[in-house]
Amino acid sequence: MTLRTAMSPDQTLEYLNIAPEDRAEALALLQNPVTPAVEAVLAHLAARLGSSDDSLPELSSPEAPITELDWLTAMLHFVPEIVAWHTERGIPETTSRETLADFGRNMAINRRVHQRFGMDTYKWLNHVFSGRIYQLGRLQYLIHQPAAQIPGVGSDEWILGIHIPEDGGLPADAVAHSLTLAAPFFAKHFPEKPVRTANCESWLLDPYLSAHLAPASNIATFAALFTPYGEPRTEPTDAVYFTFRTRSMENLTSLPRTTALQQIVLNRIDGGGAWQLGFGSLTLPV
């Protein structure tokens, strides 16, 4: 497929906020010849751009395998396309950069966790490259339609899924400011998809967590913003992964217990409990 090329390799890496230790290998991916596997991913990204389709088809097969590096190469080449699409929607460059910086953030997490170049969470970045998620201040917002019933929300209604990028804490003022940005942003740039509700699916909404944190803590204050719905779902590794960046449930005794949150996460598991994914919704400020 023909791609826009009005961006140098260095500009691409800058847009994605790729860390210095990952830049040489990322640059090499950009400069390598585009293979049929990369072409297949590029075609997928182009088809998904601006689409509301939330599915992620399996592109790889034993006869034509597509690797993690093929995905990353395609995403690197696709940056001028998504940036141009943002511009056509009138999305400010600062928002475009803050949103696409999730690529570099996830790549840095991968290096910290696995001590190698790459990104094991590349499937998540499909949301970024399809133009469905945006970072507005402290939080990210994914425009979608509810997969499960939310009281007062129709199944065909557009809502914003709140996600929390790894970028420090959750101070109440930063969260409040971000929430005030969401509805006006989507009303302006996606008027065909009106939103009034946001939801969050996270271990941070596990009722156990708020019950064991100080009520005035940032996480408890964040969780209190949401009206719970549905039944929490057991996800034993989520709290461990997002607190310690490992999904292994072995050797938990070697993990640090420096903070109150680390202690709560591990003490629950030590006591035979399992962490759950909580579900909550809120009405967006306008």
Side-chain angles (χ1 to χ4, degrees):
M1 62 176 291
T2 303
L3 291 169
R4 306 182 203 225
T5 57
M7 189 177 289
S8 71
D10 285 340
Q11 287 174 317
T12 297
L13 302 190
E14 180 186 347
Y15 237 101
L16 298 176
N17 197 31
I18 294 179
E21 56 268 31
D22 288 322
R23 288 180 70 89
E25 287 167 283
L27 187 60
L29 292 184
L30 264 175
Q31 294 173 334
N32 288 341
V34 173
T35 65
V38 172
E39 284 280 6
V41 179
L42 284 169
H44 160 77
L45 295 176
R48 282 285 299 276
L49 183 56
S51 168
S52 59
D53 183 6
D54 196 27
S55 64
L56 185 60
E58 181 55 63
L59 302 182
S60 188
S61 69
E63 298 77 23
I66 297 177
T67 68
E68 174 185 320
L69 291 183
D70 292 327
W71 276 93
L72 298 184
T73 302
M75 288 174 174
L76 286 162
H77 281 287
F78 203 71
V79 170
E81 295 292 321
I82 183 64
V83 170
W85 191 84
H86 283 176
T87 301
E88 290 161 5
R89 281 267 172 176
I91 292 166
E93 182 182 357
T94 53
T95 301
S96 186
R97 286 181 178 272
E98 288 170 0
T99 299
L100 290 172
D102 209 33
F103 187 97
R105 181 186 297 117
N106 277 269
M107 187 166 276
I109 291 171
N110 187 90
R111 183 171 288 279
R112 191 168 76 242
V113 173
H114 302 294
Q115 294 80 51
R116 65 169 177 83
F117 175 80
M119 189 193 302
D120 61 1
T121 54
Y122 65 85
K123 290 184 178 180
W124 164 256
L125 269 293
N126 271 266
H127 294 312
V128 171
F129 286 91
S130 66
R132 299 178 66 236
I133 195 168
Y134 296 90
Q135 182 153 349
L136 304 173
R138 180 64 186 92
L139 304 172
Q140 295 169 323
Y141 299 89
L142 173 67
I143 189 163
H144 68 117
Q145 292 178 311
Q149 184 175 1
I150 301 174
V153 177
S155 60
D156 59 347
E157 187 173 338
W158 293 98
I159 62 174
L160 299 180
I162 293 177
H163 296 271
I164 308 161
E166 183 181 86
D167 195 20
L170 278 173
D173 57 345
V175 169
H177 175 65
S178 178
L179 289 170
T180 65
L181 299 175
F185 174 87
F186 284 90
K188 179 177 181 179
H189 302 293
F190 297 88
E192 75 281 10
K193 298 176 180 178
V195 294
R196 61 184 180 90
T197 302
N199 76 324
C200 185
E201 303 178 4
S202 173
W203 73 280
L204 296 181
L205 301 190
D206 185 330
Y208 180 96
L209 183 57
S210 291
H212 288 77
L213 286 169
S217 68
N218 287 339
I219 292 176
T221 301
F222 175 80
L225 295 173
F226 297 89
T227 300
Y229 66 87
E231 291 296 321
R233 185 177 77 232
T234 299
E235 295 286 352
T237 66
D238 272 20
V240 174
Y241 178 74
F242 288 108
T243 304
F244 303 100
R245 287 301 179 185
T246 176
R247 289 206 181 270
S248 173
M249 300 299 282
E250 299 178 1
N251 303 315
L252 296 183
T253 56
S254 66
L255 296 177
R257 298 178 186 244
T258 306
T259 69
L261 183 62
Q262 291 171 344
Q263 294 169 20
I264 291 169
V265 168
L266 295 176
N267 288 347
R268 184 181 193 184
I269 298 170
D270 290 346
W275 283 94
Q276 295 184 306
L277 197 70
F279 306 91
S281 65
L282 58 79
T283 299
L284 291 162
V286 293

